[in-house]
Each structure stands twice: as C-alpha cells, then as structure tokens.
Amino acid sequence: MNTIPYNLPHLKELEAESVHILREVAAEFEKPVLMYSVGKDSSVLVRLAQKAFAPGKLPFPLLHVNTTFKFREMVEFRDRYVKEIGAELIVHTNRKALERIGPPEKWTCTLCANLLKTQALIAALREGGFDAAIGGARRDEEKSRAKERVFSFRDKNMQWDPKNQRPELWNLFNTAHFKGESFRVFPLSNWTELDVWQYIHAENIPVVPLYFARHRPVIRRDGMLLLAGELNTPRPGESVENVLCRFRTLGCQLCTGAIRSAAASVPEIIDEILLATYSEREHRAVDQDREDSMEEKKREGYF
C-alpha cells in the first residue's frame, strides 16, 4: 500500500484515529458489519479496515443495502472490487416494498429513503444480528451528521436520539449496551471531503468511474442533472442533453444529480474541491425535503 506524502501529515493523524476506532469495534462488539455504499467514503473505510487488520482478512462482512435504483456502474464496481479484495459481501433489498409499490416511476426519493434504505437497513441489521454498523458518514457533510458521536448509540428500535448519547473524551468510547441495542460507528467523522480525496490519491484507491468527468446524457429536473437512459426518461417538456459532468456524491439514480465539471482525474477533483463553495450533498434530493428532513430520517433509523 502507498505511503502518505510527507506534506500531508494530517492524513496520517486521521488514518491513525480511524484505525484505532475500527480496532475498538472489533474488540468491543460481538458481531459488527461495515456498511458498503460503493461510494468514495466507504472505499476509504475498506482501505482503512484492511490496514487496521493486516495481514489478516477483514474480521467483519460488508453490507450493501441495495435499492435496485443504484447506478449500473456502482453495482459492477461493487462485485468486481469485493471479489478482488476477498471480502464477504451481504446484499439486502426490500423486495416486498418493491413488489408493492411497483416500477421506478412510482417511487419518490422520500419513499425510497424510507422503505428501500431505512427499513431495509433495519431489517438487514436485525436479520444479521449485528450490534455495530460501521459507516462512512462525515460531520462536514450535513447538519444532523455533525451532531453524531463517533460511537452513536441506537435503542432497541434502532432509532437515534441526539440527546441520549454518551460523552466521548479524547479517544475513550463507551460501548456498553443491552441485548437488542446497537451502535452506528463513524470512523471518518473528523474527515472532510478534501481529506477523503487526498487519501484516495495517496493510497491509489479505486473508485467508481462516475466520479470522473465525461460527456453524459442528462435530463434537467428540479434543479438537478439526472443521468438519462437507465431509470430516468424525459417527461413532457424535458429533453436529453449531452453534458460534460461528473458525480460528486453517489446514491440512487432517481435522486442523485451530477455537476458540470471537467475534472477527469483525482488530482483534478482535489483542485475542484479546493474551490468549491457548497456541500457535496446539495445534489442529493433526499437531503432537501425540509431543513430538518435528514435529522428526522436519522431518528427513524436512516444512516
């Protein structure tokens, strides 16, 4: 594995903190799992876990909650990369909800977040008996995420109460919990989007090609550039345009917009982020329902 450049010592500190957290999870919980969304943050998490437990294999499986609305390139990358690193992968989908609601055009971003993400995640964690779910959320992403502890307690209903969390003094974590209770653990809490991409560059971590700019067919809708062709088709008054763009964040095709960009490599993405004046999640419709929508979703069990 690559060595972090000498001029980026803060990455060494962040790496050491995250590795310590991952080892604490392995030591303190009976059955942890690492959430694998196939995005850049979970790719960094996987690399950190590899470092934390080298030369052995990962001591926990990867869990992908698949809505079936993900980009095709994400699923192809997931299967290829997991096989390459020899990790155990669990894929969970809320098939009953998909059958009940019907085809993609009947789904809204809010409905998807509730049934195909939140409820599917809760079901997957219960079925697997997991008492800790490791995720790649960062405090700089969004207001409610900034309220999270590194070890974020969940009650027996897997709900989050920001007022009922344990103090975290230095690197001491209280992981005590009764049967049925659990934790969401965020080793990247203190990382920024820039840190993530600098680490990807330093470690030469593979990521989904959708992060890199190229000309893509898109539809302008609700202030977003939605990828056309797979799940999104033009509505009356809309047309398909060929735009040089990339995805700053990845989610479901129905609610994830691209940004105009010419950044076709990791160094170019880093340069672009240095000049960015808005959050990467401004192009995720699921975050924009209401000002408090993400916090409400997290209270209900959303990651």
Side-chain angles (χ1 to χ4, degrees):
M1 297 182 182
N2 293 4
T3 301
I4 295 173
Y6 69 90
N7 60 335
L8 295 174
H10 73 289
L11 289 185
K12 279 286 190 185
E13 296 176 6
L14 290 171
E15 179 187 73
E17 178 186 56
S18 298
V19 164
H20 169 70
I21 292 166
L22 287 164
R23 288 173 177 165
E24 284 289 296
V25 172
E28 296 293 331
F29 293 93
E30 292 184 9
K31 197 173 182 183
V33 68
L34 192 152
M35 300 301 301
Y36 185 55
S37 70
V38 201
K40 62 185 185 302
D41 300 299
S42 60
S43 293
V44 167
L45 263 186
V46 170
R47 175 57 56 86
L48 290 165
Q50 288 177 310
K51 287 196 168 189
F53 305 106
K57 291 186 176 181
L58 299 185
F60 34 69
L62 309 184
L63 172 61
H64 181 212
V65 175
N66 187 13
T67 64
T68 73
F69 299 151
K70 301 294 184 180
F71 295 93
R72 173 180 47 80
E73 289 182 64
M74 294 177 67
V75 177
E76 292 174 349
F77 179 90
R78 178 199 72 192
D79 294 341
R80 183 174 63 252
Y81 189 59
V82 168
K83 182 179 180 180
E84 179 183 316
I85 65 175
E88 177 188 353
L89 174 68
I90 300 170
V91 179
H92 186 92
T93 301
N94 189 344
R95 295 290 177 187
K96 290 183 179 180
L98 286 167
E99 293 171 4
R100 185 172 74 252
I101 304 299
E105 56 267 24
K106 293 189 176 182
W107 287 85
T108 64
C109 293
T110 300
L111 196 60
C112 178
N114 179 27
L115 297 179
L116 302 183
K117 294 180 180 177
T118 302
Q119 297 306 317
L121 172 60
I122 290 173
L125 295 178
R126 282 180 174 157
E127 288 175 17
F130 300 114
D131 56 353
I134 308 164
R138 309 184 320 269
R139 289 185 177 129
D140 75 321
E141 289 181 274
E142 192 270 337
K143 293 177 182 177
S144 67
R145 295 180 188 267
K147 296 181 180 180
E148 288 277 20
R149 299 287 199 271
V150 175
F151 282 73
S152 185
F153 175 74
R154 295 299 195 270
D155 63 21
K156 291 184 178 181
N157 296 315
M158 295 197 182
Q159 294 183 331
W160 174 64
D161 180 357
K163 295 181 180 180
N164 183 26
Q165 298 296 319
R166 286 87 184 273
E168 291 183 343
L169 307 175
W170 299 284
N171 61 349
L172 301 177
F173 304 106
N174 182 352
T175 62
H177 61 285
F178 293 107
K179 185 177 179 60
E181 297 174 338
S182 62
F183 279 80
R184 306 285 172 88
V185 184
F186 304 104
L188 302 184
S189 289
N190 294 325
W191 295 55
T192 66
E193 182 188 12
L194 180 60
D195 295 329
V196 166
W197 280 109
Q198 288 177 328
Y199 193 77
I200 287 171
H201 184 45
E203 293 286 318
N204 194 27
I205 300 172
V207 293
V208 181
L210 289 165
Y211 282 117
F212 303 113
R214 68 176 176 84
H215 283 91
R216 293 182 169 92
V218 298
I219 300 169
R220 296 177 185 270
R221 182 178 300 162
D222 299 327
M224 297 192 300
L225 298 177
L226 299 178
L227 185 68
E230 294 183 32
L231 296 180
N232 297 308
T233 56
R235 297 173 180 173
E238 296 178 339
S239 60
V240 177
E241 304 175 45
N242 194 32
V243 174
L244 181 62
C245 60
R246 72 178 190 86
F247 289 85
R248 195 172 167 190
T249 180
L250 294 178
C252 291
Q253 295 188 50
L254 302 178
C255 59
T256 305
I259 62 169
R260 288 183 175 273
S261 171
S265 67
V266 174
E268 289 174 346
I269 289 175
I270 291 172
D271 289 342
E272 184 176 85
I273 293 171
L274 285 169
L275 300 176
T277 58
Y278 56 90
S279 168
E280 66 197 279
R281 297 189 70 89
E282 286 194 19
H283 294 274
R284 293 286 289 274
V286 69
D287 292 6
Q288 309 303 323
D289 295 345
R290 299 180 308 279
E291 186 173 347
D292 63 345
S293 64
M294 179 57 76
E295 180 163 335
E296 185 176 314
K297 290 182 178 71
K298 287 177 66 62
R299 287 176 182 268
E300 296 169 352
Y302 188 78
F303 217 97

